[in-house]
Amino acid sequence: MSDLRDLYQQTILDHTRKPRNKHEMPDATSTADGHNRLCGDKIRLFLKVNAGIIEDISFTGNGCAISTASASMMTEALKGKSVAEAQPLFELFHTMLTSPMDQEPDLEALNKLAVFSGVREFPVRVKCATLPWHTLQAAIKNQDAPVTTE
Amino acid sequence: MTTTTTKPRGSQAAKAPAFDSVAIRSDFPLLQTQSHGKPLAYLDNAATSQKPQAVIAAAARYYTTYNANIHRGVYKLSVDATAAYEAAREKVARFINAPSEREIVFVRGATEAVNLVAATWGMENIHSGDEIILSEMEHHSNIVPWQLLAQRTGAVIKVIAISQHGELAMDQYAQLLSDRTRLVALTHVSNALGTINPIERIVSMAKARGIPVLIDGAQSIPHMAIDVRKIGCDFFVFSGHKLYAPTGIGVLWAKGELLEKMPPYQGGGDMISTVSFAGSTWNDIPHKFEAGTPHISGAIGLGVAIDYLGGIGMDAIAEYEHDLLMYATKQLNRIPGLQIIGTAPEKAAVISFIMENIHPHDIGTIVDGEGVAIRTGHHCCQPLMDHYNIAATARASLAFYNNREDVDRLVAAVEKVKEVFN
Ligand SMILES: Cc1ncc(COP(=O)(O)O)c(C=O)c1O
């Protein structure tokens, strides 16, 4: 079996136990709901965007260790960044999770998010890690309809 | 002629043969395999069961020696295939003590059987303002077809609540029964909780008012002897693949007088008597409901699975599984922070559980690494999950080929989950 320690890295477990930016945001400029049909996980994402800059970002909801840590670390990675920077970061993140094992992902550009590289050994868990990001995209588009990971 | 019966295990004596779980396990090729380099402990039997070699061989024998379409050839192969398919129907009828094999309709599974009843009997007998009684513990397949019917007809769905232990609120059921009730559709055993519902009482309460009852037997038929006449219901549905038979085959049993009156479900070959552009007439039951080429090898496999189970005895299976359930419940309850969801006194061998601060999805991944296969999620019972205010559970569901070692491996794997998270 692929090593569980690759999946449940200490950093990930730390964010699972103590998620950062996990709260509602009454003055959000947009929100979106995400839903993973496989496990029933639900997440709500809050964004406060001002002049193209993500001034604040938070989330609520209950999910597995991977989706909770991913949401937590995503909010940390994006706070203070521009909306325009978010999309390429998601693409890098997604590539890391779905690229074949013999391909080296761009861990440097991903910075702390590189701890999720172990997830690609567990294909059924990729959607857990990407759910917060898909929800972010919806919030950026300011869609009202809930997104799913399908 | 091809034979489709397997030798019953053990003696032919009237007494139930002794339960030899080691020999039984060796009948299932998949249970000899490994998962992640470890022997497989397969504990997801409520989702689907593994197949004994006899069932696998029967399907192979059909394809290698007498594959032909049924009910339409005069040549030997077709005659043999037809005989084997119809013999399977007779076996199903005897297995559930149906009065006649004419009342056995082959379908894809429990889901299709419920949809068939809703689309035919339901469309004819349920009208605007009529009420259909379901329960909070139903599988989506015994909810959504009735919702679709309700949308089409203006009928109303009433729901029997459950207690924290996972038992039906019988008082409330008694109150829900009314002059407007046209159908009670209920699961015999809950796939998510394991609760065995008191269906004979439920049926007799409905019958006192002349209300028909559909029983979803998908989770009961693998675990206990079923006698549809004793139950007293009007419809009984189940899937073959949970009963050690192939996927894609299942059964609708309904009282003959109901089947006679019900309009066809799908149109096509085999279900007709005559066809002309002026109009067509229908074949006799059960063929009226079996349009097109059916899952021939699946039905034959189902018949062989029933023979195989007959060799062990459903009462022996129920007793063995009950003992294993008690053991598993005791062992899992010893783990601090683990909570079993579904604690009714009458249970089949299904154990749903949650763990403090650990999501079921993570439990599933980690125990999988130990070669232990369990299900995690909402188990197609979202209303039930809402009742317990949870999104998901981890679920171990046992079969007669499981043993205490499988349970011990699950317990050890759950300990490992705690290690990872501590
Ligand atoms: C109680 C119950 N009813 C119905 C079904 C549906 O069975 P199938 O998917 O084989 O049609 C299931 C399967 O999970 C079940 O557990």
Side-chain angles (χ1 to χ4, degrees), chain B residues 46-47 108-112 114 137-142 187-192 216-219 237-242 375 379-380 395:
Chain B
R108 280 193 296 138
T111 301
E112 187 174 44
V114 176
M137 66 169 85
E138 297 310 310
H139 188 277
H140 294 165
S141 61
N142 196 30
T187 195
H188 190 177
V189 167
S190 158
N191 65 307
D216 174 357
Q219 294 295 342
V237 307
F238 65 93
S239 299
H241 69 95
K242 296 181 202 281
R375 170 87 182 265
H379 317 293
C380 298
R395 180 189 71 187

Side-chain angles (χ1 to χ4, degrees), chain A residues 20-86:
Chain A
R20 323 294 197 266
N21 303 309
K22 188 174 175 194
H23 53 77
E24 295 188 7
M25 195 191 296
D27 57 345
T29 54
S30 94
T31 65
D33 290 325
H35 185 199
N36 183 338
R37 284 211 191 102
L38 182 66
C39 54
D41 287 356
K42 286 183 181 139
I43 175 176
R44 172 163 290 177
L45 198 83
F46 301 86
L47 271 184
K48 189 155 86 187
V49 177
N50 191 358
I53 301 295
I54 300 173
E55 282 189 348
D56 202 2
I57 173 169
S58 70
F59 74 103
T60 59
N62 272 316
C64 66
I66 304 301
S67 74
T68 304
S70 176
S72 171
M73 293 184 72
M74 178 184 82
T75 60
E76 283 201 321
L78 292 179
K79 207 183 271 192
K81 293 241 163 64
S82 70
V83 171
E85 284 170 288

